[in-house]
């Protein structure tokens, strides 16, 4: 059966019809049955057909089986978020000429899209998912679930958290990778539904513990401490102990990326508690682990400027230099975070009117288009207060009216 699939793949690759390939070897109907795997055939016939196609059928069968194994290993590396192993397996698959054979096409494409998401190549993922959608192929139950899983992560990555939840909830029991519980947990956390976020975080933690996925256990425990503090500010002493334990775990498994994120998360938590000097110390530790071309560098720099400005830890001139540096990097990368650094620049220069004009004309339209509800709400609230303060009552009313229209009355029965 495998040989038939390989013969069909190379025949179509070389542009031969069944009649052209089978001429003088066997009947067209016999070749058709070989390709579909519904007939017995002699090794002699497949050898002759292979020679016509200029391939070694035994070598191609080995490539086929190797591709299946490597595809699974790639998927395992993605679930582990082992980026080095992911790159190795991707290179091996890319070098295999059978990656476009129908048996592998959908799964390979979906895993490639997931691979892109891990490296924050959002646009590449989106284009690939659109191509999969256009394929005239009936997806297997597993492939349908994998498609929903990748699509759900994609929507989370662009800030469409409610859409992410909607898609991830379509996954059913035919899907063996319960890793998606983690993505449901972070999506519910993003929409401030801590009850369901905790529920799915615990399910994800159980799955990662069962599969001995130590790196993802650490990720999930990191999420759990965020959830604890999101509901109400947990004891700083116990929060500090929790983060210390997670930081030591990240050091033990030598995960620089996770260690950097833990420094960032704890720095952000300390910033929320207005412990600015200590928050800066942890962000500085995070900076020591990354390069300026790292995706998280701009996120770290954005928080660093906030901490130093509100904690009065650096001069405005120095912070303005940092903001301009962040803006330069973001524009070079075509990264939407340039919006944040422009806002920092307006704020540091004391240009309040320009700040809110930029929010109105650039920031809000961008996030409305991407569907990031949390950030939309944040900036609409700030704009509303600014409009009231500056006597722009019609604009303030427009925002208030919009918010009222999307809320359901508790007394509404229809």
């Amino acid at each position: 059966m495998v040989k038939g699939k390989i013969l069909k793949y190379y025949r179509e690759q070389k542009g031969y019809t069944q009649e052209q390939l089978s001429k003088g070897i066997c009947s067209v109907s016999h070749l058709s049955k070989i390709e579909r795997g519904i007939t017995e055939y002699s090794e002699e016939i497949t050898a002759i057909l292979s020679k016509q196609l200029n391939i070694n059928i035994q070598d191609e069968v080995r490539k086929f089986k190797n591709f299946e194994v490597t595809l699974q290993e790639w998927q395992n590396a993605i679930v582990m978020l082992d980026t080095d192993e992911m790159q190795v397996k991707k290179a091996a698959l890319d070098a295999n000429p059978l990656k476009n054979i129908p048996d592998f096409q959908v799964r390979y494409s979906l895993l490639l899209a997931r691979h892109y998401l891990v490296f924050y190549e959002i646009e590449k993922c989106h284009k690939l998912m659109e191509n999969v959608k256009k394929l005239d192929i009936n997806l297997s139950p597993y492939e349908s679930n994998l498609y929903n899983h990748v699509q759900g992560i994609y929507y989370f990555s662009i800030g469409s958290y409610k859409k992410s939840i909607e898609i991830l909830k379509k996954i059913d029991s035919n899907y063996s990778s319960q890793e998606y519980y983690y993505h449901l947990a972070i999506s519910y956390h993003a929409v401030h539904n801590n009850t369901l976020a905790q529920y799915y975080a615990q399910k994800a933690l159980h799955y990662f513990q069962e599969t001995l996925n130590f790196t993802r256990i650490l990720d999930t425990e990191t999420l759990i401490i965020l959830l604890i503090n999101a509901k109400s500010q947990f004891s700083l002493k116990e929060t500090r102990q929790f983060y210390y334990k997670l930081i030591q775990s990240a050091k033990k498994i030598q995960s620089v990326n996770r260690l950097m994120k833990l420094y960032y998360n704890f720095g952000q938590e300390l910033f929320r508690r207005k412990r600015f000097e200590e928050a800066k110390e942890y962000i500085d530790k995070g900076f020591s682990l990354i390069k300026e071309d790292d995706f998280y560098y701009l996120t770290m720099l954005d928080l660093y400027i906030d901490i130093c400005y509100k904690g009065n830890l650096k001069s405005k001139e120095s912070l303005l230099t940092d903001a301009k540096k962040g803006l330069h990097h973001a524009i070079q990368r075509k990264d939407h975070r340039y919006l944040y650094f422009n806002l920092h620049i307006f704020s540091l220069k004391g240009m309040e009117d320009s700040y809110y004009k930029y929010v109105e004309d650039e920031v809000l339209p961008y996030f409305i288009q991407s569907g990031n509800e949390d950030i939309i709400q944040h900036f609409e609230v700030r704009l509303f207060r600014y409009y009231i303060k500056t006597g722009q009552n019609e604009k303030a009313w427009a925002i208030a009216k919009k918010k009222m229209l999307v809320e359901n009355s508790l007394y509404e029965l229809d």
Side-chain angles (χ1 to χ4, degrees), residues 236-248 250-251 256-290 296-297 299-301 303-305 307-308 313:
L236 180 57
K237 180 181 177 182
E238 292 182 63
T239 297
R240 195 187 303 281
Q241 289 172 346
F242 204 116
Y243 271 106
Y244 180 78
K245 184 192 83 168
L246 294 175
I247 286 167
Q248 295 312 306
K251 287 178 178 178
V256 173
N257 190 46
R258 285 169 179 81
L259 184 58
M260 176 270 295
K261 289 179 183 177
L262 284 165
Y263 286 146
Y264 173 85
N265 287 346
F266 191 38
Q268 189 175 50
E269 181 58 37
L270 290 165
F271 173 59
R272 285 177 61 216
R273 296 169 187 254
K274 296 182 170 51
R275 300 180 73 91
F276 302 116
E277 289 188 10
E278 193 178 359
K280 180 180 177 296
E281 286 177 20
Y282 277 91
I283 297 304
D284 284 335
K285 288 180 181 181
F287 273 132
S288 72
L289 299 175
I290 58 175
Y296 268 93
Y297 175 79
T299 300
M300 194 88 72
L301 185 59
L303 178 59
Y304 176 82
I305 293 170
I307 290 169
C308 293
L313 303 178

